[in-house]
Amino acid sequence: MLALRLVIDTNVLISAALKPTGLQRTILILAITPPARLYVTRPILLEYGDVLSRPELCIPKGLRQQLLQLIKNHSYTVSPIRRLEVTSDPDDNIFVECADAARADYLVTGNQRHFPRFWKKTKVITPREFISIAAPHL
């Protein structure tokens, strides 16, 4: 598989936490496994932690900690140099900012409607689209 620069929206991480055998868990594993590279920013890590901790999701504390540590240990942190306002949900701009700073190939999200289809060379894709791109190379 070619090296892929990836950004993962919080909804993909939450689905990975809730469904251990689901597509999103596979995506998370692929994203942190070379030659793929997962990119995050400090605001993204904070959002991941905040959302994983929501009581209504009932994600066990141990699993939350494991996922966050896994991401911290196997991702690359970038610092965006500019703020962007390009998504329909202002909270989602942090993912486009990360993709911009990382020069990401793909931003993987379950909420495509919130994002532009492309940002520069980054394509916004669904988890299923990512698997169809990655599967031939596995």
Side-chain angles (χ1 to χ4, degrees), residues 78-138:
V78 293
S79 298
I81 56 172
R82 62 185 175 139
R83 308 253 320 143
L84 298 172
E85 294 182 16
V86 297
T87 64
S88 62
D89 179 349
D91 292 339
D92 286 331
N93 284 314
I94 61 173
F95 298 98
V96 180
E97 291 166 0
C98 180
D100 186 58
R103 297 183 317 277
D105 298 304
Y106 299 104
L107 190 164
V108 185
T109 181
N111 289 327
Q112 274 190 304
R113 69 186 181 281
H114 292 179
F115 295 90
R117 189 69 176 139
F118 285 92
W119 176 257
K120 296 183 180 180
K121 292 184 179 182
T122 302
K123 185 174 183 181
V124 178
I125 60 174
T126 66
R128 193 156 307 284
E129 287 173 308
F130 176 73
I131 290 297
S132 72
I133 290 165
H137 303 285
L138 299 176

Side-chain angles (χ1 to χ4, degrees), residues 33-51:
T33 304
R37 288 184 166 202
L38 175 62
Y39 288 88
V40 296
T41 60
R42 290 185 59 71
I44 287 174
L45 288 173
L46 290 172
E47 175 164 309
Y48 284 173
D50 288 346
V51 178

Side-chain angles (χ1 to χ4, degrees), residues 17-94:
L18 295 173
K19 301 175 200 165
T21 60
L23 184 66
Q24 289 81 0
R25 180 74 62 101
T26 302
I27 289 166
L28 178 62
I29 292 166
L30 289 173
I32 62 170
T33 304
R37 288 184 166 202
L38 175 62
Y39 288 88
V40 296
T41 60
R42 290 185 59 71
I44 287 174
L45 288 173
L46 290 172
E47 175 164 309
Y48 284 173
D50 288 346
V51 178
L52 284 168
S53 297
R54 289 183 181 165
E56 66 270 20
L57 295 175
C58 301
I59 299 170
K61 183 178 181 180
L63 177 58
R64 292 192 313 254
Q65 290 173 334
Q66 284 179 330
L67 287 172
L68 289 172
Q69 196 60 51
L70 188 68
I71 291 167
K72 288 176 185 175
N73 290 345
H74 297 282
S75 64
Y76 298 82
T77 303
V78 293
S79 298
I81 56 172
R82 62 185 175 139
R83 308 253 320 143
L84 298 172
E85 294 182 16
V86 297
T87 64
S88 62
D89 179 349
D91 292 339
D92 286 331
N93 284 314
I94 61 173

